[in-house]
Amino acid sequence: MLLEERTAFVTGGARGIGREIALCFAREGADVAVCDRDAAEIAAVGGEIEALGRRAVAVAADVTSAAEIGAAVNKIVDAFGRIDILVNNAGITRDAFLVRMSDADWDAVLAVNLKGAFITSRAVMKGMVKRRSGKIINIASIVGLWGNAGQANYAASKAGLVGLTKSIAKEMASRGITANAVAPGFIETRMTAALPEAVREKMRAAVPMGRFGAPGDVAKAALFLASGLSDYVTGQVIVVDGGMIM
Ligand code: NDP
């Protein structure tokens, strides 16, 4: 197992990619904390982690609230003693063409996808700095590298996340903390299920491997970045997209 004796915190862990990363880490031996806005959904994932024989902390917390994230981090540290691995996964979309995009849709996406990662990293990294050890993994998107019509807010937030990742990597390299990002392509989750079938077909045709990704495809890249296999890797973006962008 790759994560024995490790502790992890995954934001937005109630479903989709975040849930799969949490369960993957637990299968690899880690104790795992998860947060989400929905208390019932997140408690269920806590139960799934415990069913794998690991300790779990499941907290209802919104990543846009420094107070809620601060309280969640305290609760996790009380239970586990420390957080070795942070996965900033919580994310939302509010798609519209830019000329029709509201301030509210811009602000909401930037607040969750980018500021949420800043708030959570800051809260978790204090302990990592003291221990001179830690791994930060940010879930970005190929859209942050490539752009996408109708997703200016989302693409900007994910491009920002790449800049945040590289800056943390530079600030923290001398303190034993690595920061890397995973940039998924089109992954089958509730986020993408909402798209019209015509859009899904167009996207599928753009994937050289001819299929959409599964949450587990992203979890495997996150596992590499969370484990000792990537100890000399920092400031990188691993694209997991079936070959869409190369
Ligand atoms: P889902 O919508 O299935 O899951 C997102 C999770 O984040 C939900 O559990 C949601 O819970 C949670 N969340 C949303 N807002 C907040 C918040 N403010 N505080 C805490 N939790 C929150 O999406 P995916 O699993 O598909 O996406 C996970 C990540 O992967 C996102 O960052 C997304 O941008 C990224 N990604 C996804 C791709 C895809 O094709 N699916 C492609 C590229 C990147 P709730 O709303 O109940 O609080």
Side-chain angles (χ1 to χ4, degrees):
M1 287 193 287
L2 289 169
L3 300 180
E4 254 173 326
E5 313 277 307
R6 314 307 285 166
T7 62
F9 177 27
V10 182
T11 68
R15 59 173 192 263
I17 292 169
R19 172 178 166 274
E20 194 58 40
I21 291 173
L23 296 179
C24 168
F25 285 9
R27 275 184 226 109
E28 290 292 331
D31 292 327
V32 184
V34 279
C35 84
D36 206 276
R37 288 173 303 185
D38 186 307
E41 275 191 355
I42 204 65
V45 175
E48 290 183 281
I49 294 164
E50 284 171 347
L52 292 165
R54 309 290 164 225
R55 289 185 297 167
V57 176
V59 214
D62 186 324
V63 295
T64 65
S65 162
E68 287 183 27
I69 287 299
V73 168
N74 287 341
K75 193 171 170 187
I76 298 161
V77 172
D78 282 348
F80 292 168
R82 62 183 199 282
I83 298 170
D84 297 313
I85 303 153
L86 167 65
V87 183
N88 285 307
N89 165 80
I92 60 167
T93 52
R94 294 281 184 280
D95 297 351
F97 288 115
L98 190 128
V99 289
R100 277 187 242 125
M101 188 173 285
S102 68
D103 286 16
D105 285 347
W106 176 271
D107 290 344
V109 169
L110 270 290
V112 177
N113 299 8
L114 185 54
K115 192 170 181 193
F118 156 67
I119 287 172
T120 314
S121 300
R122 185 179 55 185
V124 170
M125 276 166 50
K126 285 176 186 154
M128 291 179 170
V129 169
K130 272 193 208 138
R131 291 190 311 282
R132 302 186 83 78
S133 157
K135 288 181 176 275
I136 312 275
I137 301 157
N138 293 323
I139 307 302
S141 167
I142 57 165
V143 161
L145 307 172
W146 227 28
N148 198 21
Q151 287 197 309
N153 50 358
Y154 184 78
S157 73
K158 295 300 188 177
L161 209 45
V162 171
L164 176 69
T165 305
K166 291 179 187 231
S167 300
I168 294 174
K170 286 191 171 163
E171 280 184 26
M172 293 295 151
S174 64
R175 292 173 171 85
I177 300 166
T178 64
N180 293 286
V182 181
F186 194 108
I187 310 297
E188 290 277 18
T189 66
R190 199 186 296 177
M191 186 177 272
T192 43
L195 293 170
E197 194 47 43
V199 175
R200 289 168 56 85
E201 266 319 305
K202 207 173 144 199
M203 302 289 294
R204 204 192 320 263
V207 184
M209 285 188 183
R211 67 167 177 91
F212 295 144
D217 292 316
V218 181
K220 282 180 237 174
L223 174 61
F224 167 70
L225 294 173
S227 77
L229 295 176
S230 63
D231 279 349
Y232 198 55
V233 177
T234 197
Q236 302 306 305
V237 182
I238 299 183
V239 174
V240 179
D241 70 346
M244 279 179 90
I245 65 167
M246 345 180 154

